[in-house]
Amino acid sequence: MGTHNQTKLQYIEAALLEKKHRSDTLMNYFLIGFYIIGLLLAFYYDTWLIAIGVGSLSLVAYYSAKRLLPNSSLYQYVLSLVLGIFMAQFIYQMHGMFEMHFFAFVGSAILITYQNWKLQIPLAVFVIIHHASFSYLQYIGFDEIYFTQLEFMNLQTFFIHSFLALTIFLLCGLWAHNFLIFTYHHVKQGFEIGKLEESDKQKAKVIAERQRSKSELEKLVSLLETTFNLTDEGILVADKNGKMVLTNKKFAELWNIPQKLLDSRDYEKVLRFILDQLVNPEEYSSKARDFHSLDEVSNDTIYFKDSRIFECYSRPQLSNGESIGRVWGFRDISKQTQDLEERKKMITNITSRNKDLEQFSNIISHNLRSPVANILGFSEALKEDVSEDDRKDFIDAISVSINKLNNVISDLSTILHVKQSKNEGKALVCFSELVNDIKDSINHSLLKEEVLFDIDFSAIDELLTLKNYMYSVFYNLISNSIKYKRPGITTTINISSQKNEKSVYLIFKDNGLGIDLEKIGDQVFGLYKRFHLDVAEGRGLGLYLTKTHVESLGGQISIVSEVNKGTEIKIKLDC
Amino acid sequence: MKTPKRFLLIDNDPSSNKLCKMALCKIFASPEVFAFTNPESGLEYIEQESTRYDIDTVLFLDINMQPLSGWDVLEKLNSSWSKLSNHFAIYILSSSINPTDKKKATDFHSVSNYLEKPLYADGVRRLFCGIPMKN
């Protein structure tokens, strides 16, 4: 408020100063005019000395006062006096011509412009002194004194004269004062109007600014909206009161939400519609209703009944550090997940192939190279002089090695054949028939050994599969059970089948020697891995081939075994 | 160098052991050779005969064996190697020509060298006559 008053005062002062300057400029003309009038009047009675001398002194007095004290109003009082002096000069120059007295009134009127009644005082005082002294001097007969041309002037006339003059001075003073008050109000109003205009301008500026930010905002909103609807993610924003604040097109699309339901903006209803589509709705229901948790981001994978998979993440919508709602984003990752699964499968496949290759490389460097090394060694020995007995021994050794070599080559051929012959046609294979066939083919050894078969294919006896693979699997497992039987007890072989929605299980169980799996580890299905070296038969091929066959059929094989208790092998195949 | 007094052969292939013995006999006059076709009994022998550690011994060890591979034997010898090392040298004698096997052999500081089968008399001579035994 203080600043406001100060500005107002400054404004008024500036306005008054401007007025003063205007009046001062006018005074310059008036004074020059008076000086010229003095010169003109000098023609009548040849009063050049008076016109130039008194006029010049007056001007010098005025301008020096103004120059010396420009900020004081003293020069204005000097002006008042100077105007009186000019009147007296003109009266004298025209030898008391009555009309010259009117210059007192002219001066008085001129002074109004300064709007200061006090300026009338020096003029009035001068006029009174001048009239009184000059009229007295003239009437006592003083020469060279001119006051009036009247021969006779009584006291009454003098008083009337003085009264009228004073009236003029008073009125002029009054008008000057009134003008000052008026000017003051005027200036004040001007200031207020200026203020108003200023504030109007400012208001207009604010409005323009507001308009601009509004259009900026609209642009931003349209940008956000476009982005919002373009994104591949379904977005849902809901507030604490269970109202859906915002959803994008993708959201409705992903969840198949009908427009009517969407328009209802009822979060609870939409939520129920959404949860209905999920495999485990309970898992998400409380989470979806949690508007208070300030958890930064939650990230879930949600599974649909129709086997789609979404990735869902959400974060609270914060306002002043408080949760006022929650934002959810949904992304269909079914394809991605599927791709990932496939990639995983592929990697497993490739890894297993790589393992096969390693195994092959191992076979080449050991199982093939080993008999070759022997053949080289013994044939070299034969070159030298050796006894007949040694020669025979060496040739026998070479023969053994060549047989080994032959075996390895035929094994490799079998294995490669399994790995290549995937495309043969599938046929319905009957498990019980298969077991009977195998029993017949190894009847010879069964006669030798007492073996009890306990067969139960009641759950499932037939499967569409590759017969030669199934034959190989059954043959190897049954013959293993016989080969590695425990001496002294009756060997029993249990073979049974199980079935569920997706898979068929074949279980082979014996009471044989068993394998120390802890010691052997993952080598149990390895090629040329043997675990019963004291049993003459066996090359370490059976379980390897079984596993290869099962896996070629897309199945899995697992083993449980305990030394001197028996072995159980479980095969899982797709229906 | 000291001439080795005793040779141990661990290889589950008897023919290979026989060839090895023949080569040794050609260089050394009636060498002391112990052949094991079961790596476990070979290990057992080494551990039981600890009192005779001071006899300079050379072990020819095959890789591809069951139930213990040559690598398994080396692992098991690792703990007692500090006691053995003064009088013991181990050579891998394998049919494998696979570089991975050769590289793996260098990972065992107890292994003096990797030899490919078959071992000829020339090879034995190169190993023990003129070229010092590595310790």
Side-chain angles (χ1 to χ4, degrees):
Chain A
M1 215 50 201
T3 349
H4 175 78
N5 272 344
Q6 213 172 351
T7 2
K8 192 164 148 188
L9 227 68
Q10 277 169 356
Y11 178 84
I12 292 167
E13 259 171 34
L16 290 179
L17 198 68
E18 198 200 322
K19 248 197 76 58
K20 193 179 90 173
H21 285 315
R22 242 187 2 242
S23 303
D24 286 351
T25 315
L26 272 175
M27 281 322 120
N28 294 336
Y29 298 124
F30 279 126
L31 288 174
I32 291 165
F34 274 42
Y35 191 81
I36 292 168
I37 289 170
L39 291 180
L40 290 175
L41 294 178
F43 283 106
Y44 286 90
Y45 298 101
D46 210 13
T47 50
W48 294 100
L49 192 68
I50 294 289
I52 293 170
V54 176
S56 301
L57 273 175
S58 291
L59 291 188
V60 168
Y62 171 73
Y63 284 110
S64 50
K66 195 176 163 191
R67 177 63 57 90
L68 284 174
L69 295 162
N71 292 325
S72 147
S73 52
L74 179 74
Y75 73 93
Q76 292 169 11
Y77 291 97
V78 174
L79 174 73
S80 172
L81 202 62
V82 163
L83 290 173
I85 292 170
F86 268 116
M87 174 211 66
Q89 182 196 319
F90 297 158
I91 292 172
Y92 180 85
Q93 278 187 281
M94 292 308 282
H95 286 188
M97 187 189 196
F98 191 77
E99 281 70 22
M100 288 302 125
H101 286 247
F102 295 156
F103 274 102
F105 304 147
V106 172
S108 178
I110 285 170
L111 287 172
I112 294 172
T113 187
Y114 283 108
Q115 301 181 359
N116 182 359
W117 66 270
K118 288 175 200 156
L119 290 183
Q120 301 290 333
I121 295 170
L123 179 61
V125 170
F126 179 83
V127 168
I128 290 166
I129 293 170
H130 168 262
H131 275 50
S133 53
F134 274 56
S135 64
Y136 176 74
L137 286 173
Q138 191 182 339
Y139 284 110
I140 60 170
F142 220 83
D143 249 3
E144 299 291 312
I145 288 294
Y146 305 102
F147 173 65
T148 174
Q149 289 172 336
L150 292 174
E151 289 302 319
F152 171 78
M153 187 177 179
N154 62 13
L155 204 61
Q156 189 187 342
T157 315
F158 181 77
F159 276 130
I160 289 172
H161 190 100
S162 303
F163 173 75
L164 283 175
L166 274 175
T167 305
I168 292 280
F169 293 143
L170 277 174
L171 282 177
C172 285
L174 186 64
W175 298 151
H177 189 65
N178 278 352
F179 275 146
L180 180 66
I181 291 165
F182 176 76
T183 304
Y184 189 77
H185 280 296
H186 182 72
V187 168
K188 211 164 79 177
Q189 255 169 11
F191 175 77
E192 296 297 341
I193 287 167
K195 281 292 279 190
L196 277 178
E197 275 173 2
E198 185 87 352
S199 87
D200 273 359
K201 251 188 233 164
Q202 234 147 23
K203 256 182 215 159
K205 217 163 125 188
V206 167
I207 287 168
E209 185 75 26
R210 216 172 280 169
Q211 200 71 34
R212 217 182 48 221
S213 33
K214 198 180 154 195
S215 86
E216 289 277 320
L217 205 65
E218 268 165 12
K219 248 191 260 172
L220 198 66
V221 166
S222 99
L223 178 73
L224 282 179
E225 208 174 67
T226 315
T227 319
F228 194 58
N229 281 323
L230 193 69
T231 175
D232 201 28
E233 285 166 28
I235 297 170
L236 161 68
V237 185
D239 68 12
K240 267 181 163 171
N241 306 323
K243 268 256 173 296
M244 293 203 308
V245 180
L246 201 63
T247 55
N248 66 353
K249 282 181 191 145
K250 193 75 188 175
F251 171 75
E253 207 177 285
L254 281 175
W255 292 95
N256 292 316
I257 298 175
Q259 191 59 41
K260 212 177 150 191
L261 181 57
L262 209 59
D263 290 340
S264 77
R265 300 258 142 209
D266 188 333
Y267 178 66
E268 192 57 37
K269 268 191 202 160
V270 172
L271 187 63
R272 250 176 281 145
F273 183 82
I274 282 174
L275 290 175
D276 260 359
Q277 303 180 41
L278 302 183
V279 178
N280 283 323
E282 313 83 40
E283 202 178 317
Y284 309 104
S285 72
S286 67
K287 216 168 189 175
R289 289 182 176 93
D290 176 14
F291 285 99
H292 304 283
S293 138
L294 289 173
D295 286 348
E296 257 310 287
V297 184
S298 84
N299 205 337
D300 293 295
T301 310
I302 46 186
Y303 298 90
F304 279 63
K305 284 173 187 161
D306 64 4
S307 82
R308 277 189 299 164
I309 300 168
F310 278 12
E311 188 184 53
C312 160
Y313 45 92
S314 86
R315 61 170 70 209
Q317 187 191 355
L318 296 180
S319 172
N320 293 328
E322 213 175 294
S323 159
I324 57 163
R326 216 166 164 85
V327 184
W328 280 272
F330 302 95
R331 205 143 53 93
D332 190 343
I333 55 163
S334 314
K335 199 176 175 306
Q336 258 167 274
T337 314
Q338 207 183 332
D339 287 353
L340 204 70
E341 262 342 276
E342 252 162 51
R343 210 171 304 156
K344 263 190 206 157
K345 233 187 229 170
M346 243 194 251
I347 288 170
T348 318
N349 216 338
I350 289 168
T351 312
S352 118
R353 265 165 204 237
N354 206 27
K355 236 176 166 180
D356 284 351
L357 284 175
E358 255 171 47
Q359 215 158 31
F360 267 86
S361 142
N362 207 37
I363 291 163
I364 303 287
S365 52
H366 290 286
N367 301 67
L368 270 181
R369 173 81 173 100
S370 177
V372 169
N374 283 346
I375 293 164
L376 282 172
F378 285 116
S379 57
E380 195 65 26
L382 278 177
K383 284 182 189 166
E384 291 160 31
D385 264 351
V386 283
S387 67
E388 189 57 26
D389 283 354
D390 278 349
R391 211 176 69 93
K392 241 188 123 188
D393 280 355
F394 295 171
I395 289 172
D396 281 350
I398 289 174
S399 165
V400 167
S401 292
I402 287 173
N403 269 327
K404 266 193 201 166
L405 207 55
N406 191 42
N407 279 339
V408 172
I409 288 166
S410 71
D411 289 347
L412 282 179
S413 161
T414 311
I415 293 159
L416 287 173
H417 183 68
V418 173
K419 288 180 189 275
Q420 279 168 2
S421 63
K422 256 188 166 178
N423 297 327
E424 285 170 27
K426 285 186 178 182
L428 209 57
V429 175
C430 175
F431 298 142
S432 44
E433 273 177 29
L434 208 59
V435 173
N436 285 331
D437 286 354
I438 290 162
K439 266 203 239 168
D440 285 345
S441 78
I442 47 177
N443 215 356
H444 178 65
S445 38
L446 284 183
L447 284 177
K448 250 193 327 193
E449 325 284 346
E450 193 67 27
V451 178
L452 282 177
F453 278 92
D454 176 11
I455 313 291
D456 177 12
F457 290 127
S458 54
I460 179 168
D461 195 20
E462 281 185 332
L463 185 69
L464 192 68
T465 185
L466 293 175
K467 182 164 185 180
N468 53 348
Y469 282 16
M470 281 321 279
Y471 184 90
S472 163
V473 168
F474 273 72
Y475 183 90
N476 278 309
L477 293 179
I478 290 169
S479 65
N480 268 359
S481 291
I482 295 167
K483 257 187 247 169
Y484 307 110
K485 68 186 175 60
R486 241 184 310 156
I489 60 157
T490 310
T491 302
T492 53
I493 301 174
N494 298 60
I495 309 173
S496 59
S497 62
Q498 283 172 13
K499 195 191 169 195
N500 67 15
E501 274 175 28
K502 284 182 181 171
S503 311
V504 170
Y505 297 91
L506 292 168
I507 297 129
F508 297 79
K509 212 167 164 182
D510 68 32
N511 59 348
L513 289 168
I515 299 168
D516 188 348
L517 290 175
E518 263 181 49
K519 204 163 141 193
I520 301 308
D522 58 353
Q523 294 191 354
V524 68
F525 294 109
L527 179 54
Y528 292 132
K529 297 295 174 197
R530 297 197 56 214
F531 315 110
H532 300 288
L533 300 168
D534 39 354
V535 176
E537 285 179 89
R539 295 212 304 272
L541 199 63
L543 281 178
Y544 174 77
L545 274 180
T546 304
K547 186 175 198 272
T548 310
H549 281 126
V550 169
E551 285 176 354
S552 293
L553 291 170
Q556 286 167 9
I557 187 165
S558 61
I559 182 167
V560 180
S561 186
E562 211 174 317
V563 176
N564 287 328
K565 283 260 173 78
T567 305
E568 181 185 316
I569 285 174
K570 199 170 185 180
I571 291 167
K572 181 186 168 193
L573 292 166
D574 290 339
C575 277
Chain B
M1 67 152 272
K2 290 177 200 163
T3 313
K5 295 281 189 307
R6 180 169 59 166
F7 296 93
L8 306 178
L9 316 178
I10 300 183
D11 192 333
N12 59 350
D13 180 3
S15 303
S16 179
N17 283 341
K18 190 175 178 181
L19 278 173
C20 192
K21 197 173 175 180
M22 277 161 56
L24 289 170
C25 285
K26 278 191 184 146
I27 304 301
F28 300 103
S30 56
E32 202 181 351
V33 180
F34 297 89
F36 303 92
T37 48
N38 186 337
E40 276 173 333
S41 19
L43 257 182
E44 215 172 296
Y45 178 85
I46 294 170
E47 268 152 23
Q48 275 177 2
E49 297 288 301
S50 53
T51 47
R52 294 173 70 196
Y53 277 160
D54 54 342
I55 295 176
D56 290 330
T57 306
V58 168
L59 166 64
F60 290 104
L61 181 63
D62 185 27
I63 297 173
N64 192 32
M65 296 182 289
Q66 293 190 48
L68 293 179
S69 73
W71 308 127
D72 294 335
V73 173
L74 287 173
E75 294 279 358
K76 284 185 191 283
L77 280 177
N78 243 353
S79 56
S80 49
W81 181 245
S82 55
K83 277 191 281 173
L84 290 171
S85 60
N86 283 335
H87 307 282
F88 225 87
I90 300 176
Y91 290 90
I92 297 286
L93 180 61
S94 168
S95 61
S96 170
I97 46 173
N98 191 342
T100 8
D101 286 331
K102 287 182 188 175
K103 198 181 167 293
K104 193 171 177 185
T106 62
D107 292 343
F108 289 92
H109 66 278
S110 52
V111 173
S112 298
N113 211 339
Y114 183 99
L115 311 171
E116 274 173 29
K117 285 183 190 174
L119 181 66
Y120 297 115
D122 270 359
V124 177
R125 194 178 293 122
R126 261 204 300 278
L127 278 180
F128 304 113
C129 307
I131 299 159
M133 222 172 114
K134 194 181 148 195
N135 254 338

